[in-house]
Amino acid sequence: MTPTPPNGLTSDQAAERLRQEGPNELGVSQRRTLWVMARDVVREPMFLLLMGAGSVYLATGDAHEALILLGFVAIIMTVTVLQERRTDNTLETLRDLSSPRAQVLRDGTVRRVAGRDVVRGDLLLLSEGDRVPADGELVETHELATDESLLTGESEAVSKAPADSVFAGTLVVRGQGTARVGSTGQRTELGRIGQSLQAIGLQASPLRDEVARLTRRLVVVGIALCLLLAALLGLLRGDWLQALLGGITLAMGILPQELPVIMIVFLALAARRLAVQQVLTRRLNAVETLGQTTVLCVDKTGTLTENRMAVAALVAGDQVLETHDLPDAGLPEAFHALLEYAVLASEIDPHDPMEKAFHRLAARQLQGTEHLHPRWDLAREYELSPELLAMTHLWRPQGEVHDVVAAKGAPEAVADLCHLPDAERTRVAEEAARLADRGLRVLGVAKARHRSASQWPDIQHDFDFEWVGLVGLADPLRAEVPAAIAQCRRAGIRVVMITGDHPRTARAIAAQAGIQSDQVLTGEDMASLDAASLSDQVAAVHVFARIKPQQKLALVEALKARGEIVAMTGDGVNDAPALKAAHIGVAMGQRGTDVAREAASLVLLHDDFSAIVHAIEAGRRTFANLRQAMVYTLAVHVPIVCLALLPVLFGLPLVLAPLHIAFLELVIDPACSLVFEAEPAAADLMDQPPRQQTEPLLGASQVWLSLVQGAWVSLVVIGLYVVLMGHDEAVASAGALVFAVLVIANAVLILPSRSRHPAWRRLFSGLTPVSLWVLTGTLLALGAVVLVPPLAQAFGFSTLSAPFAALALILGCALLLPFQLSKRWFG
């Protein structure tokens, strides 16, 4: 590393390096451009066919119908783009709020600059509470310690000495220091992890894959029938243009063009509902994938725990006190001195998580007692060192003859300061081990007195210390975690904890959370396993400790290789590769890093672990309701196909054109499907196992239900059309009347499809304000098309008279009875 002058870089040097090496930014944003989002929508086969039909209309000079068809594509693209852009803008706001500032020495003066303007060679001035903006080497330190949990996953603060490294993204929790910047931006450890995300592909949605397979099959069938019908019409009638449009109409009837519209609307509304619960959806497909999750991988620090230390146990003499249920001012007198001296051995305004825990507990328990000393002066500090893992503060009370000395540190180090006899040291070590076995961080506390008139000792060992006791601290479990994990277990979702912490800590937290913890696999053990052995281990082990970032990724890949649908939660940079590789990545928004948020599919804005379970429930509900909507969609396609095919076989004029099918499939059907989206979740939804990957969106019973319901509508509309074409006075209104009956039947079909009760007397039990609005809107839209002359003419119809309109309404509503019977047979 090139030496930096004692006064730091000059402003000109800093500006030149910023120009040459670029800003100190990670550059990991995966924000997609408008072009990429639009391209993904248009590449869908169903939209390509719709655009093809519009192109045929344009080629034949019918620009009116062509523009209407192409307008449907624009609407769908707009919905998708707006949802993703809205999410990206929220993430941009989070990124701006979390952007660090830095103090640097330039031109011999201290300046505060934006983190992005820090350059290689800058001298950083670090103090408690600062977020380190770049990687560097420490030049000077004073009791410096950093929290590297976002980078390594380990929750314990790391003490630093001169020549040690500090890393971008870590937090200074104690002391001060000066560091010379060695790497910025993508060249930092943080940046290298972020860049590794570029090689990891985003996971496809299982439902999207299933729909794509269905679409490919239907495309083949549709094209074959399209060519067959076009050839048949052309040969029989000689009008090849009408034959081509007839073939396209049949193909559009076979292909459910409205399916992407329904999916996008369902997922967008589900994402909006999740946003109310402070869950931000970055990818719409993540909603339904969550509902299929079989394994939920969670990080410990900041995900299961609060990522803050709290005093969990106090040991004074032979007495042990658990503090989790301790009322305010309820601390027994025997423990007052222990807490008093733990506070005196801490900074006055601390950033260290453990010292903050001492201050919080003292504020609750010692307020109004003689054990708090806000007016004492801190006269001398003895730093923690690698040789002695303890620190000492010397306090000067006003008007007192003696100074008060307080020390805290590793139990064995403090015991050594107190010169405890061997038997007492053994007892202290055993008690500390018992606390450590519970996953607690254990500190010893000691006290001493020193005459104010005497010279201060040079080393801590020269004080005459007296042992006070032990303090056990823990990163407390989030209150909502045990209930949320229990609900996951009932739902058949296996919860796996992956952490960089010590196995003992990991086992203790897992036990508190309700995660099976009889086996713990460490990163060192994992490194010695081959692929087959690792596959066996991930199937049996629920707790993984001392795991490195690349091993988190390997665990996710091993679970996926076993056929699991994997959701991964995390907040640190070390979680980002696994977040992106998982089928669904869930990042913590408040404490999470930009890298983690960019890699994830969902972001929890309030870091509420139970929101993950609510999101899984929302995913299951969305899929269940989407299945009902698909049953409905398939049912309404049957009469459309029949109306496109059977008139040819009977030698009758064609009833439907591409515009009519577009109106049905991209306006009426999605509107009716909104009723299914509003369906509440079943009471036992989260007591059922996840849907198997081999389970289709539509099973045999659902397909038969759709076909039978569609057959009833086909029978009525085809029969009506044949009868009307046999009466000269009704021929002009035949097309409009058949279309009206078809639309009314589609609207009425939502009632039995939606009702969970088979009995006729409960037919309308599922009728809600949403379904009433949809039914009303559908009838109004239909009325406009068949009763308003300009609109009827645009659709190629003659306006219906009042008797014919009433007949259409009666026939459409009369289908309620066979629909309900079909529901009872196959529902």
Side-chain angles (χ1 to χ4, degrees):
M1 184 181 296
T2 304
T4 301
N7 291 332
L9 299 175
T10 65
S11 297
D12 292 340
Q13 288 176 322
E16 178 63 19
R17 291 190 181 181
L18 186 64
R19 186 188 66 79
Q20 291 179 349
E21 301 178 3
N24 180 33
E25 294 177 333
L26 298 180
V28 296
S29 174
Q30 298 186 31
R31 181 171 180 144
R32 301 197 300 170
T33 63
L34 288 172
W35 162 248
V36 172
M37 288 185 279
R39 183 197 63 191
D40 288 347
V41 175
V42 176
R43 285 170 61 185
E44 295 288 339
M46 290 167 279
F47 290 112
L48 293 175
L49 187 64
L50 191 61
M51 293 174 68
S55 300
V56 171
Y57 274 118
L58 280 177
T60 58
D62 196 341
H64 180 265
E65 293 199 10
L67 291 176
I68 293 176
L69 290 175
L70 296 177
F72 291 135
V73 176
I75 292 172
I76 296 163
M77 290 170 57
T78 301
V79 171
T80 304
V81 170
L82 287 179
Q83 169 65 25
E84 188 159 335
R85 274 302 163 108
R86 179 179 172 188
T87 297
D88 284 340
N89 290 337
T90 304
L91 286 177
E92 195 69 38
T93 301
L94 284 172
R95 190 179 300 113
D96 292 341
L97 291 174
S98 62
S99 179
R101 307 282 293 178
Q103 284 195 95
V104 298
L105 188 64
R106 289 182 184 170
D107 299 317
T109 60
V110 177
R111 299 183 182 180
R112 181 170 287 275
V113 300
R116 69 186 305 275
D117 294 334
V118 172
V119 299
R120 180 175 53 84
D122 262 330
L123 284 179
L124 291 174
L125 305 182
L126 303 174
S127 58
E128 292 184 8
D130 286 349
R131 180 77 64 179
V132 180
D135 287 2
E137 180 181 295
L138 288 164
V139 179
E140 298 176 350
T141 63
H142 174 66
E143 297 186 357
L144 184 68
T146 59
D147 177 0
E148 299 180 352
S149 61
L150 290 180
L151 192 64
T152 67
E154 298 188 27
S155 57
E156 295 183 7
V158 180
S159 297
K160 298 290 183 179
D164 286 349
S165 297
V166 289
F167 302 101
T170 59
L171 181 68
V172 177
V173 296
R174 186 177 68 241
Q176 300 83 36
T178 302
R180 183 183 296 112
V181 175
S183 303
T184 60
Q186 298 178 10
R187 294 170 291 276
T188 62
E189 289 295 320
L190 190 69
R192 277 193 282 272
I193 295 177
Q195 286 304 300
S196 71
L197 301 178
Q198 306 303 323
I200 303 172
L202 289 171
Q203 292 300 307
S205 157
L207 179 60
R208 188 182 183 88
D209 291 342
E210 183 178 344
V211 171
R213 288 193 297 270
L214 174 64
T215 300
R216 285 193 294 269
R217 296 190 189 104
L218 291 176
V219 165
V220 173
V221 174
I223 291 176
L225 291 179
C226 171
L227 295 175
L228 179 62
L229 181 63
L232 187 60
L233 277 174
L235 292 173
L236 292 178
R237 302 187 183 183
D239 189 341
W240 288 98
L241 177 59
Q242 288 300 317
L244 179 59
L245 288 176
I248 290 178
T249 301
L250 178 60
M252 291 178 66
I254 294 174
L255 287 178
Q257 295 100 308
E258 72 273 37
L259 185 58
V261 184
I262 294 171
M263 285 187 61
I264 288 172
V265 170
F266 268 53
L267 297 178
L269 289 175
R272 182 176 180 181
R273 196 175 289 113
L274 286 176
V276 175
Q277 299 177 1
Q278 302 302 306
V279 179
L280 185 65
T281 306
R282 301 200 66 236
R283 297 285 183 269
L284 285 180
N285 288 331
V287 177
E288 62 87 13
T289 308
L290 259 179
Q292 203 175 353
T293 299
T294 59
V295 176
L296 177 58
C297 298
V298 296
D299 181 47
K300 180 189 77 69
T301 305
T303 304
L304 294 179
T305 65
E306 298 179 7
N307 202 14
R308 67 173 183 88
M309 300 301 288
V311 177
L314 299 172
V315 180
D318 295 330
Q319 300 184 58
V320 179
L321 178 69
E322 303 293 335
T323 62
H324 58 278
D325 290 328
L326 195 63
D328 291 350
L331 185 68
E333 183 66 33
F335 297 95
H336 281 198
L338 176 56
L339 184 55
E340 174 188 7
Y341 281 93
V343 171
L344 290 174
S346 304
E347 297 294 335
I348 297 173
D349 185 16
H351 285 270
D352 180 89
M354 291 184 292
E355 294 185 349
K356 291 169 73 172
F358 296 148
H359 278 266
R360 283 197 304 270
L361 186 62
R364 290 175 44 220
Q365 301 298 334
L366 301 181
Q367 197 67 37
T369 70
E370 72 278 10
H371 298 285
L372 292 181
H373 312 285
R375 296 187 179 182
W376 285 9
D377 296 323
L378 180 59
R380 176 75 186 269
E381 294 183 64
Y382 295 84
E383 297 181 13
L384 188 81
S385 67
E387 295 77 25
L388 181 62
L389 298 178
M391 59 187 298
T392 297
H393 285 177
L394 187 147
W395 296 85
R396 175 150 293 176
Q398 296 178 358
E400 296 289 336
V401 176
H402 288 88
D403 296 333
V404 175
V405 183
K408 69 174 177 13
E412 62 274 15
V414 177
D416 186 45
L417 286 177
C418 296
H419 306 291
L420 293 178
D422 291 342
E424 187 65 15
R425 289 195 187 200
T426 301
R427 188 188 66 80
V428 168
E430 291 175 350
E431 189 61 51
R434 279 194 291 271
L435 294 177
D437 285 340
R438 295 167 46 192
L440 303 184
R441 177 80 183 275
V442 185
L443 295 180
V445 178
K447 65 179 181 179
R449 292 167 64 84
H450 182 267
R451 287 189 61 84
S452 303
S454 301
Q455 186 176 358
W456 294 328
D458 292 329
I459 59 175
Q460 300 179 63
H461 270 289
D462 290 344
F463 289 108
D464 187 15
F465 279 109
E466 176 186 345
W467 179 262
V468 179
L470 293 170
V471 181
L473 299 105
D475 183 3
L477 197 71
R478 293 180 182 272
E480 72 276 6
V481 165
I485 289 180
Q487 190 168 6
C488 285
R489 194 162 47 247
R490 291 194 301 272
I493 300 170
R494 181 171 160 238
V495 180
V496 173
M497 187 175 79
I498 304 174
T499 179
D501 269 343
H502 192 280
R504 187 165 51 195
T505 305
R507 180 180 281 109
I509 292 295
Q512 294 175 38
I515 300 173
Q516 185 177 335
S517 57
D518 52 340
Q519 296 184 63
V520 177
L521 184 68
T522 66
E524 183 178 355
D525 295 335
M526 179 179 163
S528 63
L529 299 177
D530 57 23
S533 300
L534 179 60
S535 179
D536 293 337
Q537 288 293 320
V538 298
V541 178
H542 292 73
V543 180
F544 298 85
R546 290 292 190 214
I547 298 297
K548 298 178 181 178
Q550 63 269 25
Q551 291 178 316
K552 290 189 176 186
L553 178 59
L555 287 172
V556 170
E557 296 291 359
L559 287 166
K560 287 164 56 181
R562 293 186 60 85
E564 306 283 3
I565 300 297
V566 182
M568 171 77 189
T569 72
D571 59 358
V573 178
N574 61 317
D575 300 322
L579 284 173
K580 188 174 181 183
H583 291 98
I584 182 74
V586 184
M588 299 302 193
Q590 287 183 324
R591 300 195 61 85
T593 60
D594 289 342
V595 178
R597 289 196 291 263
E598 291 290 348
S601 303
L602 297 177
V603 179
L604 305 185
L605 298 181
H606 279 183
D607 292 2
D608 182 359
F609 182 80
S610 63
I612 301 173
V613 181
H614 295 319
I616 292 174
E617 183 177 9
R620 291 189 175 190
R621 169 189 171 183
T622 298
F623 180 84
N625 291 346
L626 187 59
R627 171 175 278 176
Q628 290 192 71
M630 292 303 103
V631 170
Y632 167 82
T633 301
L634 180 58
V636 300
H637 270 266
V638 174
I640 293 175
V641 172
C642 290
L643 283 174
L645 185 60
L646 293 183
V648 178
L649 301 180
F650 286 110
L652 300 173
L654 294 177
V655 182
L656 300 179
L659 178 59
H660 304 143
I661 295 181
F663 178 78
L664 282 168
E665 297 185 350
L666 297 181
V667 177
I668 298 299
D669 293 350
C672 291
S673 296
L674 287 176
V675 178
F676 301 103
E677 198 284 329
E679 180 83 353
D684 61 345
L685 186 64
M686 289 299 287
D687 293 329
Q688 301 172 7
R691 178 174 71 99
Q692 297 296 319
Q693 292 189 59
T694 55
E695 182 183 344
L697 177 62
L698 293 179
S701 62
Q702 288 96 20
V703 171
W704 276 109
L705 174 61
S706 298
L707 293 177
V708 170
Q709 290 181 338
W712 282 114
V713 180
S714 301
L715 183 63
V716 170
V717 294
I718 293 295
L720 177 64
Y721 188 53
V722 171
V723 171
L724 292 176
M725 294 303 293
H727 296 76
D728 294 339
E729 66 278 9
V731 169
S733 301
L737 183 57
V738 168
F739 185 75
V741 173
L742 181 61
V743 173
I744 293 172
N746 288 356
V748 171
L749 185 58
I750 66 176
L751 295 177
S753 296
R754 185 175 176 275
S755 175
R756 297 188 186 277
H757 309 286
W760 170 261
R761 60 186 174 83
R762 295 183 179 179
L763 177 63
F764 296 100
S765 62
L767 202 58
T768 65
V770 175
S771 56
L772 286 173
W773 277 109
V774 168
L775 286 171
T776 303
T778 301
L779 293 177
L780 289 176
L782 173 64
V785 168
V786 298
L787 298 178
V788 178
L791 287 176
Q793 185 178 3
F795 276 78
F797 293 141
S798 299
T799 55
L800 286 181
S801 62
F804 277 131
L807 176 62
L809 186 60
I810 292 171
L811 286 175
C813 292
L815 286 167
L816 276 172
L817 180 58
F819 286 165
Q820 183 63 18
L821 291 175
S822 303
K823 177 73 173 179
R824 294 190 64 181
W825 294 338
F826 298 101

